[in-house]
Amino acid sequence: MKDFDPRLTPARPDLAARHLEGKVEAARFADGERREVVDAQAPVRRSPASDAPLDTEALMGERVSVYETTEEGFAWGQLESDGYVGWLPANSLGQPGPAPTHRVSALRTFIFPGPSIKLAPLAAPPLGARLAIAREQEDFAVTASGGYVPARHLAPLENFERDFVAIAERFRGVPYLWGGKTAFGLDCSGLLQTALAACGTAAPRDTDLQEQVLGARIDPGPSFQHLRRGDLIFWRGHVAIARERETLVHANAFHMMVEFEPIAAAIFRIRAAGSEVTSVRRI
């Protein structure tokens, strides 16, 4: 197991995914059962308890390979989008429906039970959630399950945004939430992953993994004067996105929200807290 990252490997001493048989040691192996996230968002925790730390979130329409469901109502599985492994509420998952056709392009939208915004919403899926749309009716897109979504809040799956920095900037003021990745709250790596996904770029969930694979390492210059919009600034356990040479956007626990900040001030403040920039990468 030492060669496998437990965040991305569905394996425990007592249970592992069938495809890992012969690669890891486990008491038993199981075939995954494909499920779909049916809630607007579902917490993915590191242990089967409602008060366990939040590692990430799965969004409506996302597929999950489930290897175990407990009597207490937790499902242990792996997200298909970024490979993250953890525990989800079993009642947030259902049998896969029709393949998604659209994604939510607004920070958050509503699903109504009928073609009226005066009705009580059934759900509030966030940016990046995926929906199967069967038809359009006036200003609404009608889901395969009969829900009504403002059509202006959706985009076909194949249509992507062009500027991931602009997506990140739209989250300004959203509260900081460790493990979060929606407009209700998100962390630094969740902000980056969500913004890149809106532009069609897949990214790992955590900062250390993002630093390993995203873009190419660059020399920002002694005063960071070579920075461009979209460059990624990494510290140990933190990432920020350059808006241009002078300012960045990041979700951070100092402001407790997504905020714009002068790059020099952020570097000075974080250095004073004991952390230096580990790399700057350009996508």
Side-chain angles (χ1 to χ4, degrees):
M1 290 294 293
K2 65 180 180 179
D3 295 328
F4 294 91
D5 190 328
R7 295 170 294 180
L8 305 175
T9 308
R12 312 183 323 232
D14 62 321
L15 175 64
R18 181 81 62 190
H19 66 84
L20 293 173
E21 194 165 4
K23 300 178 181 178
V24 302
E25 294 183 3
R28 62 187 180 93
F29 294 86
D31 296 314
E33 297 182 358
R34 203 166 190 237
R35 295 289 183 267
E36 178 180 336
V37 178
V38 296
D39 287 346
Q41 64 208 65
V44 181
R45 303 187 186 276
R46 64 187 66 175
S47 61
S50 58
D51 59 353
L54 179 68
D55 281 340
T56 187
E57 293 178 305
L59 307 183
M60 178 176 281
E62 189 164 358
R63 270 42 175 183
V64 184
S65 295
V66 174
Y67 297 97
E68 180 186 28
T69 302
T70 70
E71 294 181 355
E72 293 76 23
F74 291 94
W76 183 68
Q78 184 174 33
L79 308 185
E80 291 188 3
S81 59
D82 59 15
Y84 221 93
V85 175
W87 293 90
L88 298 86
N91 59 10
S92 293
L93 305 175
Q95 292 293 333
T101 59
H102 290 68
R103 58 181 174 80
V104 176
S105 55
L107 286 186
R108 188 170 291 278
T109 192
F110 292 114
I111 300 178
F112 297 98
S116 172
I117 60 173
K118 297 181 179 180
L119 298 173
L122 300 172
L127 176 76
R130 297 186 168 203
L131 305 174
I133 300 301
R135 59 188 176 87
E136 291 191 5
Q137 181 175 326
E138 297 179 350
D139 293 332
F140 291 95
V142 185
T143 69
S145 58
Y148 289 74
V149 186
R152 291 183 180 87
H153 290 175
L154 301 178
L157 285 184
E158 64 274 13
N159 290 3
F160 295 107
E161 302 283 350
R162 294 185 177 180
D163 183 358
F164 80 92
V165 184
I167 300 298
E169 291 171 335
R170 289 167 57 188
F171 283 89
R172 188 181 191 184
V174 169
Y176 181 85
L177 175 65
W178 180 274
K181 51 186 292 184
T182 78
F184 278 146
L186 75 179
D187 60 17
C188 64
S189 56
L191 176 66
L192 177 57
Q193 186 189 50
T194 299
L196 286 173
C199 297
T201 299
R205 179 59 178 88
D206 294 341
T207 53
D208 62 323
L209 301 173
Q210 292 171 348
E211 188 173 15
Q212 292 173 25
V213 305
L214 291 177
R217 188 177 184 124
I218 66 163
D219 178 2
S223 300
F224 286 74
Q225 71 268 27
H226 301 321
L227 283 178
R228 299 178 186 172
R229 183 175 176 85
D231 287 347
L232 306 179
I233 307 169
F234 286 95
W235 294 260
R236 183 179 179 184
H238 187 60
V239 62
I241 306 166
R243 301 177 62 233
E244 20 72 14
R245 192 171 66 84
E246 300 292 337
T247 65
L248 53 76
V249 55
H250 58 161
N252 68 93
F254 177 78
H255 296 96
M256 280 307 297
M257 63 181 176
V258 178
E259 185 55 288
F260 302 164
E261 188 173 8
I263 291 173
I267 291 173
F268 178 82
R269 176 175 58 77
I270 298 173
R271 176 182 292 133
S275 184
E276 295 285 350
V277 171
T278 55
S279 72
V280 176
R281 302 186 70 85
R282 179 167 293 163
I283 297 178

